[in-house]
Amino acid sequence: MAAHLIATVNGGTLDQYDQSSASLIKPGLPPGLLHHVCVPTDDGFMVIETWESEEAIRDFTGSERFRQEIGASGMPAPEIEIRPVHYVAVST
């Protein structure tokens, strides 16, 4: 079942996002990631994603590569919320 991730990074900067996403997201989406958006907030930024499954989210966010890239960027640890998806519509 598809799953939705919302990662809130209070105190994080868009430069930190750009640094970490340069290797984690921009070269190509990780296996299972269907949709990725970063939006600025008043106190940092949020990443909103749709994945093929909760297992795919946990595999990615629990990986050594993810932890290394987030740590190297200097951003605060994201607060991650995972929810099941009821319905997804995609424009073609």
Side-chain angles (χ1 to χ4, degrees):
M1 172 190 290
H4 195 69
L5 173 144
I6 300 171
T8 303
V9 185
N10 292 320
T13 68
L14 294 178
D15 286 340
Q16 291 169 324
Y17 165 82
D18 288 341
Q19 181 181 338
S20 63
S21 69
S23 65
L24 290 173
I25 300 297
K26 292 179 181 175
L29 298 181
L33 179 57
L34 305 173
H35 169 265
H36 174 92
V37 175
C38 175
V39 296
T41 65
D42 291 339
D43 186 36
F45 62 90
M46 293 175 70
V47 171
I48 302 159
E49 298 175 332
T50 305
W51 289 76
E52 290 178 352
S53 67
E54 187 174 329
E55 179 181 2
I57 293 172
R58 295 200 187 285
D59 287 348
F60 179 69
T61 59
S63 70
E64 182 65 25
R65 180 173 169 243
F66 179 82
R67 288 191 297 274
Q68 286 177 346
E69 293 299 332
I70 296 300
S73 74
M75 80 171 68
E79 296 175 24
I80 296 176
E81 181 180 356
I82 300 171
R83 297 197 172 266
V85 170
H86 174 69
Y87 175 77
V88 175
V90 179
S91 176
T92 56

